[in-house]
Amino acid sequence: MSALTTEALHALQRRSVLVLSLGQVLGGIAFGATVSLGALLAADLSGDDALSGLATASVTLGAAAFAIPLARFAARRGRRLSLTAGNLFALLGVGIVILSAALRVFPLLLVGIVMIGMGNAGNLQSRFAATDLASPQHRGRDLSIVVWSTTIGGVAGPLLLTPGEALGQAIGMPPLTGSYLFSLVAQTAALVLYLVALRPDPLLTALNMAATPSTATVLGADVDRPVSARYAIFAVSGSHAVMASVMAMTPIHLSHMAHGAHGAAATSTDVTLLVGVTIALHVAGMYGLSPVFGILADRWGRVPVVLLGQAMLAGSLLTAIFAGEHAAGVMVALILLGLGWSAATVAGAALLTESSTVQMRPRRQGLSDSLMSLTAAVGAAGAGFVLTQFGYGGLGGVALVIVVAIIVLAPFGRIRAAV
């Protein structure tokens, strides 16, 4: 691998980004369906809205538990096999979710969602895989392209709720599980894609280049900046916790709004349509403009774009506080929530990558993904209690504290990034 010419290296990077992007399109379908249906299924099977947050908590807990082992596996065996392992766990999880709905067993539902979360750890790792062979001046752009690719599947997932329900009813599937059929097909296709097409492996190639003196600096200065890396991890995990906690409770909040508007006349179609459109807009915000944020992070610097993300997150939470009882207000809040998450995640991931040596990257990337998912799980689990006690606006107020902390600590990231 050390004999790669610059032209061959760039060609390999373009191929890797293409394969990773296609995989994210497919993986986003399962993610979108789980986000939209998980809370509704949890509330239905448990009979308690306060437990609905456990769905998002479970998916993030699964990602948290699997992120570090998956990163270590990637460091030993490469991205190709680690991403494939994530797809296998997601496939098993989808099957268990469908079975739990058929048997109406709430704990089994959580087991299935945890396994989907373990698969989502692989999806999260894809954005770092895009940076393995990226040149420093295009690192944010390449990372953001892979993040953007999730838009297609992530938006399609929620929008497939209604046709998925119709298909599920036609073949006798349990309520609220029909769109998981699309998830099964998409995850299988992603598994085959990674296994066949992600060759040669980008991470193993980068590690081989780093071990060879003549090519060690081809991908940029290999300097360790631990303070900057720690801030990047905090900014990414904090932003994700804000996004996940608010998003987890939005389907329940919208369900209450639909029943409040239509009363007993409200149907499951009314609820799934309102939830599906809102979550689709949110997911579009999460991924749709990520290339813009990637380019800005390359041109302006990583920390300024992280702060741009916090400004949008703050706007989202203030909208939820003051206009959260109106459907339009919730949609605006969820779009801004997605945009803020996108800017912070893209810039923060680029900052973490360039603040770590090639050998340290998989370990820190796994730690970042684990903490990101763990804090989101805690936030989502607590969000159900906050929603029932203080309402949607109260939830926005609590999340705003995290945004302020990320802004206040920003100098730590900027100082180290300038070294």
Side-chain angles (χ1 to χ4, degrees), residues 157-221:
L159 292 179
L160 288 172
L161 293 185
T162 301
E165 276 300 282
L167 177 61
Q169 290 177 7
I171 63 176
M173 291 183 66
L176 299 175
T177 63
S179 61
Y180 280 112
L181 287 173
F182 302 119
S183 299
L184 288 170
V185 174
Q187 286 290 352
T188 301
L191 185 152
V192 173
L193 174 71
Y194 288 138
L195 201 58
V196 172
L198 197 60
R199 299 170 181 267
D201 190 278
L203 179 56
L204 296 182
T205 302
L207 288 170
N208 287 335
M209 292 177 66
T212 305
S214 62
T215 58
T217 60
V218 170
L219 300 178

Side-chain angles (χ1 to χ4, degrees), residues 88-406:
L88 284 173
F89 277 101
L91 280 169
L92 291 172
V94 171
I96 292 173
V97 165
I98 295 172
L99 178 64
S100 70
L103 300 176
R104 298 200 60 80
V105 178
F106 177 62
L108 187 61
L109 171 70
L110 298 183
V111 171
I113 294 178
V114 165
M115 295 188 72
I116 292 175
M118 294 170 72
N120 194 44
N123 282 343
L124 292 173
Q125 192 182 100
S126 293
R127 74 191 192 282
F128 289 123
T131 68
D132 289 334
L133 297 174
S135 59
Q137 63 268 31
H138 297 307
R139 186 169 286 141
R141 182 201 64 185
D142 289 355
L143 184 152
S144 66
I145 289 172
V146 174
V147 173
W148 174 85
S149 301
T150 313
T151 308
I152 301 172
V155 172
L159 292 179
L160 288 172
L161 293 185
T162 301
E165 276 300 282
L167 177 61
Q169 290 177 7
I171 63 176
M173 291 183 66
L176 299 175
T177 63
S179 61
Y180 280 112
L181 287 173
F182 302 119
S183 299
L184 288 170
V185 174
Q187 286 290 352
T188 301
L191 185 152
V192 173
L193 174 71
Y194 288 138
L195 201 58
V196 172
L198 197 60
R199 299 170 181 267
D201 190 278
L203 179 56
L204 296 182
T205 302
L207 288 170
N208 287 335
M209 292 177 66
T212 305
S214 62
T215 58
T217 60
V218 170
L219 300 178
D222 203 23
V223 180
D224 196 46
R225 304 180 178 93
V227 174
S228 180
R230 284 194 287 269
Y231 174 76
I233 291 172
F234 173 69
V236 170
S237 60
S239 300
H240 191 67
V242 169
M243 185 275 293
S245 59
V246 175
M247 182 182 65
M249 291 299 100
T250 296
I252 300 301
H253 179 61
L254 291 174
S255 177
H256 291 164
M257 289 175 58
H259 286 290
H262 300 286
T267 66
S268 61
T269 300
D270 294 327
V271 175
T272 57
L273 183 60
L274 179 59
V275 170
V277 170
T278 302
I279 296 299
L281 290 172
H282 167 67
V283 174
M286 288 176 67
Y287 303 113
L289 293 183
S290 57
V292 174
F293 297 130
I295 293 171
L296 290 179
D298 287 336
R299 293 182 179 179
W300 295 357
R302 317 308 184 192
V303 174
V305 178
V306 169
L307 292 176
L308 174 63
Q310 302 315 301
M312 289 185 285
L313 288 176
S316 166
L317 298 174
L318 291 173
T319 302
I321 292 170
F322 295 107
E325 297 306 314
H326 305 280
V330 175
M331 289 182 183
V332 170
L334 266 288
I335 292 171
L336 287 173
L337 189 72
L339 290 171
W341 175 90
S342 181
T345 298
V346 168
L351 177 61
L352 175 59
T353 298
E354 67 188 14
S355 297
S356 308
T357 62
V358 175
Q359 290 79 7
M360 289 291 294
R361 284 174 191 172
R363 182 186 307 175
R364 285 182 179 162
Q365 290 164 352
L367 176 62
S368 176
D369 283 348
S370 181
L371 289 177
M372 180 176 76
S373 299
L374 185 61
T375 54
V378 172
F385 172 79
V386 175
L387 181 71
T388 55
Q389 296 297 317
F390 305 104
Y392 198 63
L395 178 61
V398 172
L400 193 59
V401 175
I402 301 175
V403 173
V404 172
I406 295 172

Side-chain angles (χ1 to χ4, degrees), residues 59-78:
V59 90
T60 49
L61 263 177
F66 202 45
I68 293 177
L70 196 65
R72 290 176 177 173
F73 183 62
R76 293 194 306 269
R77 302 297 301 275

